[in-house]
Amino acid sequence: METEITEDSLFGVLGGALGVEPDQPDYRMHVLKKACEALLLQNDTDDADDDIYDAIMRSEDDMDDSVGYEPVEMLVPSTPPVNTSMLPDDCHDGTAAVEWLIHPKQVDSFMENNEMKPLFISRVKYRSMYSGLFDSGGIVEALKRKRLRYGLDIDVTRVDDGVRKNFNYNKHEEDAEKHDIADAKVALRRFTHDKCSLRVLHPQRFTEPLWHLMYMLESYWGSCVGCNVYWTPKHSQGFAPHFDDIDAYILQIQGTKRWRLFNSVDTQTVLPRYSSRDFHKSELGAPVFDQVIEPGDLLYLPRGCIHEAECLDEDSLHLTISTNQRNSIFEFCNVLLPSEIEIQAMSNIRIRRTLPPGFVHHANSLAGDSTQGINIQTEISDIIQQITRQADIASGVDRWFMNFMLHRLPPPTQAKIPPQSCSNSKLKKKSTVGLTYYDSAYPILDSTEEQDTLFICHCLSNPREQHQTGGGREDEECSVPPQLELPVSCLETAVSLLNQEPINLSDVPETHDDSITKLQVAQALVDAGILTPIFNQKYEFLQIGSSVGRGPSCTQVFLPNYSRSSLGRAEALIFIFR
């Protein structure tokens, strides 16, 4: 008699062979993960298939009940990324930074549905993947030396009986003042004895590898990137279930942590503009993802994805890198349209006409379908449509981008190009110049006033210590102070000079103004630190390791590879200048 093999029986046999307890949460996912680990340990060869083992993270029944978000995608890589401890120093490309972060997931594939699909990458063989970015010693050091302020720089928190409690005070809560300086001994004692989690905000201010990674991620997204580090003692939970208004990349660095994800409560909470209140577990139902995250693992959660995390048998430290806060189409339109109304009203008398008498009586929601009310509503609707049809979207993007450049991180040392520069900063007609730092300056034409203005917007002077803290420059929509202003006649010259690759001044177009030359424009950008003069001699490429003669007319130096399209990424070249 033949025995029918069902899906349940197959998972039962496989789970028993792999030692997975049948009553373990999310049993099938654990069976699949253990099977992938076993395959990887047996198949440690260079010609192994390109490294990805996919597993469905919840059953078909769970998928039918979900609201908004897709099931979690699981990847288990068998090949290492470019660097397994931190972002390589020679990474001068935002896309390369994203590739490193989510390896082995391809960036194009990730971006197809990243707003709706969580991602879990289990790096079974690369547990040190993120170890160079931050550690628990960095939290202790920051507490002792950086004068961290409660509520602004650090939060001390714990969940008791499903309710989050804050301990952002040193002695007594009733005596505490807002944003007191955290006493390092008190905060650490609450961690070790009271089972409180420590959340340090904006740790990119304290560590250069994290600064480098976040600068490159900001270059990729074109919007500010945030970061928090969470240190949680064993057998504790710091935060109740909730969702955030950011896309979160959770990088496990030390210890382990159990994460649970839940279905959205309704469609209005999908891709939310604001973070949620804390949820009680009775509101959420069973988790759709239940997984212990280990060092080197990555868990990506789109904004709005309800989650909670708790420590089991060991302390945990993880980083949460946040992207796309207030970076939606809504936010852009909310900036674009008010300014467009102002601009178009200057030339369109129809917008400036007086509202008709009785406007509030004839056109309100209770007035009914009176002819007068319908005529008023139709007129205003036509004007709104005209404003949107004639909106200068490109100009709005310029203003949006200028605001980003004034608030993003300043460039770290690793973003500097080229490392070898000419010691003489006085330019000549055939000097060669290049950007001092990758992705650090752009020309922006401001057409919001009666006379156009050319701004060279850069981030070199942005204060790293105030990044994402709310300090620093004041937010001034449409009236951001220029960092470097040039005549509009220099636009074509500036665009050519601020190309991402070096350029000889002989190849730069001249300005359209006899009172200022391209040499003077280039010199102004060099004096501001935006451009750097580099070697001006003719050069030839030689393979690394080639025998090169030395003499008075030959100098051997190493420069990064500028041309990402024609040559390999992160490839060093030997330039021979004669």
Side-chain angles (χ1 to χ4, degrees):
M1 179 178 178
E2 293 184 0
T3 302
E4 181 183 0
I5 300 178
T6 65
E7 192 173 305
D8 288 337
S9 63
L10 183 61
F11 269 94
V13 172
L14 187 58
L18 295 170
V20 182
E21 296 294 333
D23 58 350
Q24 188 166 352
D26 208 351
Y27 171 73
R28 290 189 177 189
M29 184 275 298
H30 282 285
V31 171
L32 290 170
K33 181 173 182 248
K34 287 288 186 182
C36 288
E37 291 178 1
L39 285 170
L40 287 174
L41 292 176
Q42 292 181 13
N43 193 16
D44 192 17
T45 60
D46 292 338
D47 58 344
D49 254 350
D50 201 42
D51 59 314
I52 302 176
Y53 294 85
D54 295 309
I56 300 300
M57 302 302 293
R58 56 186 181 183
S59 69
E60 190 173 339
D61 292 337
D62 291 329
M63 292 172 62
D64 292 339
D65 295 335
S66 66
V67 177
Y69 297 98
E70 296 184 15
V72 180
E73 179 182 5
M74 177 180 174
L75 301 180
V76 183
S78 64
T79 58
V82 175
N83 191 319
T84 56
S85 62
M86 65 180 72
L87 188 69
D89 284 347
D90 58 1
C91 177
H92 296 121
D93 187 305
T95 302
V98 178
E99 286 176 350
W100 176 83
L101 184 67
I102 65 174
H103 176 85
K105 184 73 173 178
Q106 296 298 310
V107 175
D108 290 344
S109 174
F110 174 72
M111 290 301 298
E112 285 177 359
N113 202 21
N114 69 301
E115 288 189 314
M116 304 303 295
K117 192 177 188 68
L119 171 67
F120 172 54
I121 300 175
S122 176
R123 294 193 173 92
V124 179
K125 297 165 65 177
Y126 309 105
R127 291 302 180 197
S128 63
M129 177 73 179
Y130 304 125
S131 61
L133 294 175
F134 210 81
D135 57 26
S136 55
I139 293 182
V140 175
E141 182 74 9
L143 276 166
K144 291 180 177 179
R145 299 183 181 275
K146 298 297 183 180
R147 294 177 57 83
L148 302 184
R149 299 159 294 174
Y150 285 121
L152 293 179
D153 304 311
I154 188 170
D155 287 314
V156 182
T157 182
R158 185 180 69 208
V159 170
D160 292 331
D161 298 325
V163 179
R164 174 184 165 186
K165 297 181 179 179
N166 291 326
F167 298 85
N168 285 348
Y169 52 87
N170 290 323
K171 294 183 179 180
H172 305 287
E173 185 174 9
E174 58 271 16
D175 298 330
E177 295 186 9
K178 188 177 182 180
H179 306 320
D180 273 348
I181 302 297
D183 185 306
K185 292 182 179 179
V186 172
L188 293 173
R189 184 175 67 248
R190 285 183 173 144
F191 174 86
T192 54
H193 296 290
D194 301 334
K195 298 297 181 182
C196 289
S197 287
L198 304 184
R199 175 173 67 177
V200 175
L201 289 74
H202 323 303
Q204 65 271 21
R205 297 174 291 167
F206 313 136
T207 167
E208 292 211 0
L210 190 55
W211 176 16
H212 180 205
L213 173 61
M214 291 180 61
Y215 180 83
M216 292 302 167
L217 293 177
E218 287 187 336
S219 294
Y220 178 79
W221 287 107
S223 65
C224 289
V225 171
C227 184
N228 295 327
V229 58
Y230 298 78
W231 193 20
T232 307
K234 61 183 180 181
H235 303 137
S236 72
Q237 182 171 341
F239 296 84
H242 66 283
F243 64 72
D244 296 307
D245 61 348
I246 50 91
D247 297 333
Y249 299 78
I250 297 153
L251 285 57
Q252 188 68 25
I253 296 177
Q254 295 175 355
T256 59
K257 207 166 195 177
R258 182 180 182 181
W259 286 81
R260 299 183 186 91
L261 308 184
F262 302 88
N263 281 331
S264 301
V265 294
D266 58 59
T267 56
Q268 293 183 358
T269 62
V270 176
L271 301 181
R273 295 182 56 228
Y274 302 102
S275 297
S276 74
R277 60 175 174 83
D278 290 342
F279 293 104
H280 193 274
K281 288 189 178 180
S282 62
E283 301 177 79
L284 301 175
V288 295
F289 174 87
D290 190 337
Q291 173 68 38
V292 174
I293 308 297
E294 302 180 54
D297 290 351
L298 169 79
L299 179 62
Y300 165 74
L301 305 179
R303 57 192 181 279
C305 190
I306 301 174
H307 59 277
E308 68 169 348
E310 66 172 332
C311 275
L312 301 178
D313 298 328
E314 58 182 329
D315 299 346
S316 165
L317 185 135
H318 78 267
L319 285 168
T320 294
I321 293 177
S322 58
T323 63
N324 294 321
Q325 185 178 47
R326 309 288 185 272
N327 194 41
S328 68
I329 295 174
F330 171 88
E331 307 296 341
F332 174 70
C333 291
N334 211 23
V335 170
L336 171 70
L337 293 179
S339 60
E340 275 300 315
I341 295 173
E342 290 277 352
I343 294 169
Q344 293 189 33
M346 296 169 60
S347 58
N348 187 345
I349 192 172
R350 189 181 179 197
I351 302 175
R352 307 197 302 270
R353 290 182 60 188
T354 305
L355 290 167
F359 165 75
V360 295
H361 300 297
H362 297 296
N364 67 57
S365 58
L366 301 178
D369 296 332
S370 68
T371 302
Q372 194 170 358
I374 292 174
N375 290 339
I376 295 171
Q377 292 176 6
T378 301
E379 173 73 5
I380 294 176
S381 178
D382 288 344
I383 291 173
I384 292 173
Q385 292 182 43
Q386 181 183 15
I387 291 171
T388 56
R389 284 196 304 268
Q390 296 179 0
D392 186 351
I393 296 177
S395 179
V397 172
D398 287 343
R399 296 193 298 277
W400 180 273
F401 187 67
M402 179 182 288
N403 186 66
F404 161 61
M405 288 297 290
L406 291 173
H407 292 89
R408 69 170 303 185
L409 276 165
T413 304
Q414 296 93 328
K416 191 169 186 177
I417 52 175
Q420 300 286 344
S421 60
C422 182
S423 59
N424 184 8
S425 61
K426 188 68 175 177
L427 298 180
K428 299 179 180 179
K429 290 184 178 181
K430 292 188 178 181
S431 295
T432 297
V433 294
L435 276 177
T436 306
Y437 296 95
Y438 168 79
D439 202 40
S440 60
Y442 289 89
I444 292 178
L445 186 64
D446 186 357
S447 302
T448 59
E449 304 297 333
E450 292 185 5
Q451 186 173 0
D452 292 349
T453 307
L454 174 61
F455 294 146
I456 306 301
C457 196
H458 67 85
C459 58
L460 272 60
S461 57
N462 291 358
R464 173 190 175 195
E465 65 278 1
Q466 295 176 345
H467 181 249
Q468 293 289 82
T469 65
R473 296 184 176 92
E474 294 294 327
D475 290 323
E476 297 183 18
E477 183 184 319
C478 301
S479 59
V480 180
Q483 297 199 27
L484 186 62
E485 185 175 341
L486 293 173
V488 176
S489 59
C490 301
L491 176 60
E492 190 177 354
T493 304
V495 169
S496 181
L497 286 169
L498 295 176
N499 192 293
Q500 292 296 320
E501 298 189 5
I503 189 169
N504 191 284
L505 291 185
S506 61
D507 298 324
V508 174
E510 191 55 85
T511 68
H512 300 287
D513 188 341
D514 294 338
S515 64
I516 184 170
T517 66
K518 63 181 179 181
L519 180 61
Q520 290 173 312
V521 173
Q523 188 66 60
L525 296 175
V526 168
D527 294 343
I530 296 171
L531 293 181
T532 295
I534 63 175
F535 295 101
N536 193 29
Q537 296 90 337
K538 294 181 179 179
Y539 55 84
E540 56 183 287
F541 297 134
L542 294 184
Q543 295 295 327
I544 294 176
S546 297
S547 176
V548 179
R550 294 182 179 274
S553 62
C554 183
T555 306
Q556 184 175 7
V557 296
F558 287 90
L559 289 179
N561 170 18
Y562 290 114
S563 179
R564 305 297 175 201
S565 57
S566 60
L567 298 166
R569 176 170 53 84
E571 178 183 356
L573 296 175
I574 298 179
F575 283 62
I576 305 301
F577 299 101
R578 302 189 185 278

